[in-house]
């Protein structure tokens, strides 16, 4: 399953609105003979890709897949039927498909005499490459990760407005790698006016990576003439987070990175539309300057938004924290 998760991560960002599934085929002796990840929309699913690589070695073998094989006819035939036709005798999957239209693959496999095991490394898969798609399948809304970098005292810029660079080069490289795996990056029009961002994913040399997310600007005002995003961004003239997410869902966007300033972050928090926080905390003090979020709808300590920390680790000299709102 660890190898299947790696396949899932490899294709993450290329499959939306389909899930980035990973699959590994083992032959009868337990040797890995086929690897596959979901292809872009209209292409083969992970199981079919892995079966193609395995060929006849799949006969009598095992399929290890991050998501329950589908049982419906969509743009491609059901993966469960492909596994049965290839002679697979055992299927292991991490997560059952939450989409009622596509679920039922496990039952179809069992009816054909295939043994099925579920729940293997389910937490690792649900917090990993399939996190955003699972949220999308269950709610109909794109998954929103609010990413910010701040000093140890919670400032995202100095008193004079300068903010480059609070986080380390290691953290910035990591964020660019993350951008390349996401569907869209959202900022407010005020951020465009102040910082003139490009919202591109770049390598260590500053060159654009092969895959780029959709740049999105939220706000009523026109973008400044000559701004980097003037002719490339999707400009949504609204202040309502749900309007933003509805528009992005219509575009097939599943995984969103919210990188706007404190006002936009506050709006998403008030609407309850932040699904994950990714914070980079630099070992520096600024003493003054804007905070990471404004007006999150908290007026007293009892209203504080409580988060559950999933992971904390070092990113160069910075502390990286991944947390989700407590339910």
């Amino acid at each position: 399953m660890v190898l299947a998760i790696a396949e899932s991560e490899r294709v993450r960002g290329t499959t939306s609105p389909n899930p980035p599934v990973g699959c590994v085929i083992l032959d009868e002796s337990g040797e890995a003979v086929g690897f596959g990840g979901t292809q872009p929309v209209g292409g083969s699913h992970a199981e079919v890709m892995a079966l193609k690589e395995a060929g006849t070695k799949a006969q009598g073998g095992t399929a290890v897949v991050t998501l329950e094989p589908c049982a419906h006819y969509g743009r491609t035939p059901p993966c469960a039927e492909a596994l049965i036709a290839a002679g697979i005798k055992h299927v292991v999957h991490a997560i059952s498909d939450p989409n009622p239209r596509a679920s039922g693959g496990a039952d179809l496999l069992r009816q054909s005499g295939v043994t099925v095991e579920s729940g293997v490394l389910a937490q690792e898969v649900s917090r990993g490459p399939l996190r955003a798609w699972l949220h999308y399948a269950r709610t109909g809304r794109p998954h929103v990760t609010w990413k910010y970098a701040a000093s140890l005292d919670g400032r995202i810029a100095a008193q004079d407005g300068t903010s480059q660079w609070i986080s380390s080069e290691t953290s910035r490289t990591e964020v660019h790698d993350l951008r390349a795996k996401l569907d869209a990056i959202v900022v407010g029009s005020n951020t465009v006016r102040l910082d003139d961002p490009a919202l591109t994913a770049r390598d260590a040399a500053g060159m654009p990576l092969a895959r780029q997310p959709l740049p999105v600007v939220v706000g009523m005002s026109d973008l400044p003439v000559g701004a980097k995003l003037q002719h490339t961004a999707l400009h949504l003239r609204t202040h309502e987070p749900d309007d933003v997410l509805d528009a992005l869902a219509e575009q097939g966007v599943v995984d969103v990175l919210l990188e706007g300033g404190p006002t936009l972050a506050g709006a998403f928090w008030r609407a309850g539309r932040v699904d994950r926080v990714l914070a980079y905390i630099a070992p520096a003090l600024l003493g003054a300057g804007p905070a990471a979020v404004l007006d999150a709808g908290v007026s007293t300590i009892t209203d504080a938004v409580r988060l559950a920390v999933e992971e904390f680790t070092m990113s160069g000299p910075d502390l990286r924290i991944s947390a989700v709102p407590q339910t």
Side-chain angles (χ1 to χ4, degrees), residues 67-146:
L67 184 68
E68 176 188 6
C70 65
H72 78 299
Y73 282 87
R75 293 185 178 90
T76 60
C79 293
E81 290 186 0
L83 293 168
I84 294 166
I88 290 292
K89 295 302 182 185
H90 187 55
V91 171
V92 178
H93 68 267
I95 303 288
S96 296
D97 197 324
N99 183 353
R101 184 167 152 268
S103 62
D107 291 337
L108 181 61
L109 290 164
R110 291 189 182 99
Q111 291 167 11
S112 299
V114 179
T115 59
V116 179
E117 182 180 357
S118 64
V120 175
L121 295 188
Q123 185 176 78
E124 288 81 351
V125 170
S126 62
R127 289 183 177 180
L130 281 180
R131 179 201 294 263
W133 183 84
L134 289 169
H135 170 87
Y136 178 80
R138 291 165 179 156
T139 68
R141 296 192 308 271
H143 179 277
V144 176
T145 295
W146 174 45

Side-chain angles (χ1 to χ4, degrees), residues 3 10 18 37 56 65 101 111 155 159 164 180 203-204 214 228 234 236-237 242 255 258 260 284 298 309 314:
L3 295 175
R10 182 179 62 81
N18 293 334
T56 58
V65 60
R101 184 167 152 268
Q111 291 167 11
R155 308 296 179 174
Q159 191 171 21
Q164 296 183 339
D203 63 17
L214 172 70
K228 296 184 180 73
L234 173 64
L236 300 176
R237 295 180 183 269
D242 280 343
D255 205 352
L258 182 65
V298 177
V309 174
M314 299 305 295

